[in-house]
Amino acid sequence: SEAMLSAATDLNLESRVPDRVALWRLRQSNPLRKGQGGRKKLDIEEARSLVLITCYLAKQHQELIRRAVGLLEQMAENNREPHQAALLGDYIDAFCNTYQERMEEDEQISTDLLTNLALKLLVDLLFYSAPGGHRRLWLALIDRSTKF
């Protein structure tokens, strides 16, 4: 939360994400997130702000993301499981725990599916941390929304 609020300030998005409560409300708009009522759909400017913040934070952590993706490639080349590398194992554990804690599922999602999702999103973050990443993420979200 602190990093997102700080990023909002750095990006001059305080009017969209002024405090923790506003950030919590934006997060609650996700229909897959656990929580009670009060959800509303994001407006375009709120969604745009979250995309800009996400890409800004990814760019700040680009070196770590790049290192993790490189390690993932090495593990695949050596036919080893990603969780056998400490950096990837810690990331996968944190992702899976956070996902299961915060997201609703009709049925329990398997660890393998969560691991695959975590690794896919890690690779995606590498692209979103690059110049023009916010545009890539925005287009991916629009593309995904037209499929539903």
Side-chain angles (χ1 to χ4, degrees):
S1 294
E2 272 318 304
M4 292 185 79
L5 292 172
S6 177
T9 300
D10 292 348
L11 296 167
N12 296 318
L13 297 171
E14 300 100 328
S15 63
R16 293 284 169 199
V17 189
D19 54 35
R20 286 179 179 276
V21 173
L23 180 59
W24 177 83
R25 286 185 178 138
L26 291 175
R27 287 176 169 168
Q28 288 304 108
S29 67
N30 182 341
L32 298 178
R33 191 172 171 102
K34 289 180 182 175
Q36 298 291 63
R39 294 184 184 145
K40 69 170 193 80
K41 291 188 177 190
L42 291 177
D43 67 33
I44 293 293
E45 287 305 313
E46 290 169 333
R48 182 181 158 276
S49 296
L50 289 176
V51 164
L52 291 171
I53 290 168
T54 299
C55 293
Y56 180 82
L57 292 173
K59 186 174 184 173
Q60 287 183 338
H61 297 282
Q62 187 180 44
E63 183 58 38
L64 182 60
I65 294 167
R66 186 175 301 284
R67 197 170 68 212
V69 170
L71 191 54
L72 178 61
E73 289 172 343
Q74 286 177 356
M75 299 302 281
E77 286 174 9
N78 295 326
N79 291 321
R80 293 181 57 204
E81 292 295 321
H83 68 269
Q84 292 176 329
L87 178 62
L88 293 173
D90 290 346
Y91 164 71
I92 291 167
D93 286 345
F95 180 91
C96 291
N97 290 337
T98 302
Y99 187 95
Q100 289 172 330
E101 178 183 296
R102 296 183 181 175
M103 305 304 269
E104 285 190 17
E105 287 294 323
D106 292 334
E107 33 185 272
Q108 189 65 24
I109 189 167
S110 76
T111 303
D112 286 344
L113 282 175
L114 272 181
T115 297
N116 289 338
L117 177 60
L119 297 174
K120 182 204 178 309
L121 292 176
L122 177 66
V123 172
D124 289 350
L125 275 176
L126 183 60
F127 289 100
Y128 302 146
S129 70
H134 63 282
R135 180 168 165 67
R136 281 189 193 100
L137 178 53
W138 186 251
L139 292 173
L141 292 171
I142 289 172
D143 183 53
R144 181 161 168 96
S145 71
T146 60
K147 293 179 182 176
F148 291 103

